[in-house]
Amino acid sequence: MTTRIEKRFADLKSEGRAALVTFVMSGDPDYETSMAIIKALPKAGADVIELGMPFTDPMADGPSIQAAGVRALKAGQTLKKTLQMVRDFRKDEAATPIVLMGYYNPIYIYGVDKFLVDAKEAGVDGLIVVDLPPEEDEELCLPALKAGLNFIRLATPTTDDKRLPAVLNNTSGFVYYVSITGITGSAAPDATKVSAAVQRIKKHTKLPVAVGFGVKNAESARAIAAGADGVVVGSALIDALRKTLEADGKGGPATVKAVTDLVADIARGVRAAGTVAAE
Amino acid sequence: MTVQQQPNSFRTGPDERGHFGIYGGRFVAETLMPLILDLEKAYNQAKADPAFQKEMDSYLSHYVGRPSPLYFAERLTKKFGGAKIYFKREDLNHTGAHKVNNVTGQIMLAQRMGKKRIIAETGAGMHGVATATLCAKFGLPCIVYMGAVDVERQQPNVLRMKMLGAEVRAVTSGSSTLKDAMNEALRDWVTNVSDTFYCIGTVAGPHPYPAMVRDFQCIIGNETRAQMQQLEGRLPDSLIACIGGGSNAMGLFHPFLDDRSVEIYGVEAAGHGIPSGQHAASVTGGRPGVLHGNRTYLLMDDDGQITEAHSISAGLDYPGIGPEHSWLNDMGRVKFLSATDDEAVAAFQLCSQLEGIIPALEPAHALARVFDLAPKLPKDHLMVVNMSGRGDKDLASVQAWLETHKK
């Protein structure tokens, strides 16, 4: 069976361009604004939507995403509501894949089996759970694959050739290459090094490789997209969102526009890379 | 949790994947996994190397000041009229607490691994001071993450760390206490993986930390065994220690786990009382979840979001506990009790006045339970309480508490 994620990457490959994967935190800054952003993302140029599941202790995230999680939790976001957002999104959008990204504890407390049933039913396509390395595959990865969801793993510069097979084993949908050793939203990656790393990973897998961490605008997206199957942008979108917030932390139409404008700009960069590569 | 069937030995854990029953494990970001596997390998090699143990023993006797005495608290014993109360005097160690036992081992390991930079998290500051001390001794740069709230209430230790040349970074995210300091330390580690060693202060975190820190702290229980044999000609009848993450407790308990005649009690911080919801009693008032690299009892809400702990003692103010303690609780081998802020302060005062020993607020929690267990026990019952640290750092907190509680 081909999943929505696999189909999307295959389609883009035949178009000759990389995928734009956009990360936003579900429920940030509030349920309504967040819902409006997610609904507007495909039209703005997002090929895959990564939806953050907020957590109180995001150990591997930088200040931007951490603050987004705090805003969402303050506004009352829960894992149940995140699944509801996916359900609502699916009412009028069937093609764009949705990947939930977060930490394990809220899923563990929700109940792994119940979560997988509910996520699948809501229209979730894949999961990225930051604190579940291959050593803990029995927790969620294997049950998720069995339930028909993709389990996307992060590979990093510290993942050497010896460890890569362990990381890639049971990974599906795509591989998320974290271009720097560090937290989200930190230093910009070196496009040449990233391209070399992607080639190294591709020696071990047929899966598409998307690159994240440090992409901020059309130019950096173009540079990364030239050497990868996908570009992930997250902290930059959240920074754009934050700048529009009122003193009371509420979002509005300006918030949605700020995010979608930046997505459209970055999408131009991703598409430009594809055109160059095709020539 | 219901008590499960007890194993033949309580001392064989963790398994090769770092699990104590369902607890423990390695729940960390991929960036850290290769490092954690390296650390495990390096630790196993060091453990098997007699030279490492010999060098460590030498530092522990000449630098730390071990063995620490096992002291008979005669006046407290007389006051309660029951069990003979002994203190294991970890407060007499260099730097003033048990923390230095573990840090000595970890910094030696960092040296062996060729790491050039040390990071640590600290609550009350005792682990931070111990780490800053060993870094000064070995000439390593040291960065200590400490919650902004704790920086405020543990000023003497902040000053000590600075004097020792460490950089103290105040953490303002989340509840600005120990758990947030641990998050920031993990973020630093993810960013500086190539040259940095993360010196964890308690028996928690991803495998191999819970087992490694336990092994380094077992010297407390091993000495207690030998000292009690010498003083009384037999094993103690009960052990009691305070538990935040639980490293002082694990160090005392572990060598006695297979001696079924020895009753073992861990005392958590009940803050304003368990029913108030403002406490740090993870076992008594929490449930199993996954945080900071391990599965263990945690304080959280129905959505799996970690809730803030509260305790007058910064060293116990953590919403989790070491995974091996969680397992020992479920197995019924260690009995978990709790003591409130008020009870801890009362015990702090009584111990100071009757024994001339000002205890840290952490072991004052254990003392509070000693004071109601001891009177009910026979006079030949031998009870050991781990005096895990000294109370100089807590004078301001206790003073403030006394002022707000003046009638």
Side-chain angles (χ1 to χ4, degrees):
Chain A
M1 195 191 78
T2 308
T3 67
R4 208 161 1 216
I5 296 173
E6 289 157 4
K7 184 172 186 317
R8 177 54 52 104
F9 274 96
D11 288 352
L12 292 177
K13 196 178 177 186
S14 61
E15 277 178 41
R17 71 167 176 92
L20 173 57
V21 182
T22 57
F23 172 90
V24 290
M25 183 63 79
S26 69
D28 173 32
D30 53 70
Y31 190 92
E32 291 72 27
T33 312
S34 182
M35 197 66 237
I37 291 171
I38 296 161
K39 284 187 170 171
L41 282 174
K43 216 178 144 194
D47 299 305
V48 176
I49 296 173
E50 240 188 73
L51 198 52
M53 301 176 276
F55 183 50
T56 38
D57 295 77
M59 283 88 70
D61 283 304
S64 293
I65 292 183
Q66 214 185 326
V70 170
R71 285 194 297 268
L73 290 171
K74 263 198 187 144
Q77 191 69 4
T78 59
L79 186 48
K80 214 172 147 194
K81 286 184 180 171
T82 301
L83 292 175
Q84 188 55 46
M85 293 181 101
V86 179
R87 219 171 273 128
D88 288 349
F89 174 85
R90 280 282 170 250
K91 279 179 191 156
D92 31 51
E93 165 62 62
T96 305
I98 290 199
V99 175
L100 295 186
M101 178 167 188
Y103 293 80
Y104 185 40
N105 199 51
I107 296 172
Y108 181 65
I109 296 307
Y110 192 100
V112 166
D113 295 340
K114 185 175 182 310
F115 170 76
L116 290 174
V117 169
D118 291 357
K120 184 80 189 161
E121 174 269 325
V124 172
D125 302 292
L127 303 173
I128 299 177
V129 183
V130 180
D131 52 353
L132 284 180
E135 282 73 4
E136 304 290 349
D137 265 0
E138 283 158 27
E139 293 285 338
L140 180 67
C141 172
L142 298 179
L145 294 176
K146 216 171 146 194
L149 289 163
N150 287 128
F151 199 86
I152 295 125
R153 191 102 63 199
L154 273 58
T156 73
T158 59
T159 318
D160 59 17
D161 281 324
K162 215 174 88 208
R163 184 167 168 80
L164 254 179
V167 170
L168 296 170
N169 184 30
N170 295 329
T171 298
S172 68
F174 64 97
V175 179
Y176 185 145
Y177 180 66
V178 178
S179 58
I180 50 157
T181 57
I183 51 178
T184 51
S186 39
D190 175 334
T192 320
K193 275 191 193 160
V194 166
S195 174
V198 170
Q199 290 314 312
R200 178 169 73 90
I201 293 169
K202 279 181 166 294
K203 279 186 197 144
H204 295 265
T205 182
K206 289 194 171 73
L207 290 171
V209 180
V211 176
F213 283 37
V215 176
K216 289 187 167 58
N217 50 38
E219 182 45 38
S220 55
R222 194 197 56 76
I224 299 290
D229 304 305
V231 174
V232 188
V233 59
S235 293
L237 300 184
I238 287 169
D239 290 342
L241 176 152
R242 178 178 46 83
K243 283 176 194 154
T244 67
L245 298 182
E246 312 278 336
D248 62 357
K250 286 266 182 235
T255 310
V256 181
K257 188 173 182 303
V259 175
T260 50
D261 282 356
L262 183 54
V263 169
D265 179 46
I266 293 172
R268 269 193 296 280
V270 171
R271 283 167 172 79
T275 319
V276 174
E279 285 161 1
Chain B
M1 281 245 161
T2 50
V3 175
Q4 298 162 37
Q5 199 179 354
Q6 297 196 336
N8 290 328
S9 171
F10 289 101
R11 303 194 64 194
T12 53
D15 66 18
E16 71 284 356
R17 289 166 61 221
H19 293 126
F20 303 92
I22 66 161
Y23 302 103
R26 275 190 282 234
F27 297 88
V28 292
E30 174 58 28
T31 316
L32 294 179
M33 273 312 294
L35 277 99
I36 284 173
L37 296 172
D38 279 354
L39 172 64
E40 186 187 14
K41 208 166 27 166
Y43 176 56
N44 285 336
Q45 282 166 0
K47 206 163 51 168
D49 181 355
F52 182 83
Q53 196 54 52
K54 199 174 159 209
E55 193 186 347
M56 183 156 170
D57 289 346
S58 169
Y59 290 134
L60 289 174
S61 31
H62 303 297
Y63 191 65
V64 174
R66 301 204 71 91
S68 69
L70 184 65
Y71 162 79
F72 174 46
E74 199 176 351
R75 291 191 72 202
L76 280 174
T77 299
K78 200 174 272 174
K79 176 169 173 67
F80 292 108
K84 283 181 90 169
I85 301 166
Y86 281 90
F87 289 173
K88 180 59 175 162
R89 298 291 307 275
E90 294 299 302
D91 59 317
L92 292 180
N93 292 340
H94 180 43
T95 72
H98 69 290
K99 295 290 186 185
V100 70
N101 304 328
N102 162 49
V103 171
T104 303
Q106 287 200 46
I107 299 300
M108 280 177 57
L109 192 59
Q111 290 268 76
R112 234 177 124 96
M113 294 177 76
K115 299 291 180 184
K116 303 277 179 253
R117 176 176 178 270
I118 307 294
I119 56 168
E121 85 295 334
T122 197
M126 298 315 290
H127 174 61
V129 168
T131 308
T133 300
L134 269 296
C135 285
K137 178 179 159 49
F138 284 101
L140 292 164
C142 175
I143 289 142
V144 180
Y145 289 92
M146 189 169 183
V149 169
D150 295 336
V151 167
E152 204 52 50
R153 63 178 164 173
Q154 300 287 340
Q155 269 303 315
N157 274 345
V158 174
L159 287 175
R160 288 165 84 195
M161 286 185 269
K162 288 184 178 165
M163 290 296 166
L164 291 159
E167 183 193 336
V168 179
R169 292 191 186 162
V171 175
T172 53
S173 60
S175 53
S176 305
T177 59
L178 183 52
K179 92 175 162 81
D180 310 289
M182 197 151 180
N183 289 336
E184 283 305 322
L186 284 164
R187 290 187 185 111
D188 181 314
W189 203 22
V190 172
T191 310
N192 301 292
V193 279
S194 59
D195 65 342
T196 299
F197 186 96
Y198 181 15
C199 184
I200 292 186
T202 194
V203 286
H207 177 64
Y209 282 101
M212 178 171 71
V213 176
R214 171 200 73 197
D215 294 349
F216 288 143
Q217 291 293 2
C218 271
I219 191 163
I220 303 172
N222 288 333
E223 283 178 6
T224 301
R225 259 188 112 81
Q227 289 166 323
M228 194 57 104
Q229 286 287 1
Q230 205 175 17
L231 291 168
E232 298 275 0
R234 63 184 182 90
L235 291 181
D237 298 301
S238 60
L239 307 172
I240 186 163
C242 64
I243 296 193
S247 70
N248 89 85
M250 191 57 76
L252 176 65
F253 299 169
H254 205 264
F256 292 97
L257 288 177
D258 288 338
D259 300 295
R260 307 289 173 121
S261 67
V262 181
E263 292 167 38
I264 306 181
Y265 301 95
V267 183
E268 300 189 291
H272 297 315
I274 306 287
S276 73
Q278 291 180 293
H279 59 81
S282 315
V283 168
T284 313
R287 56 187 166 137
V290 175
L291 179 72
H292 292 153
N294 61 173
R295 174 166 23 229
T296 193
Y297 276 87
L298 297 169
L299 302 180
M300 61 179 125
D301 68 13
D302 293 341
D303 189 43
Q305 306 295 337
I306 307 304
T307 52
E308 292 177 21
H310 164 80
S311 170
I312 188 171
S313 153
L316 303 180
D317 208 349
Y318 179 70
I321 185 171
E324 193 168 9
H325 283 296
S326 295
W327 180 72
L328 289 169
N329 172 70
D330 287 8
M331 287 291 140
R333 181 62 187 104
V334 174
K335 193 160 187 222
F336 282 81
L337 310 169
S338 63
T340 62
D341 290 352
D342 295 4
E343 291 172 320
V345 172
F348 177 98
Q349 290 176 288
L350 191 62
C351 179
S352 301
Q353 287 157 16
L354 285 186
E355 293 294 346
I357 293 171
I358 300 177
L361 276 171
E362 289 83 1
H365 284 75
L367 284 173
R369 289 290 74 86
V370 168
F371 296 169
D372 28 76
L373 287 170
K376 297 173 197 143
L377 294 163
K379 283 184 192 299
D380 63 350
H381 183 104
L382 306 176
M383 177 177 257
V384 177
V385 47
N386 200 3
M387 185 51 66
S388 59
R390 65 180 190 223
D392 316 30
K393 68 182 175 67
D394 294 318
L395 294 177
S397 297
V398 172
Q399 178 73 15
W401 186 95
L402 292 173
E403 272 165 21
T404 56
H405 288 72
K406 260 186 208 155
K407 295 211 172 95

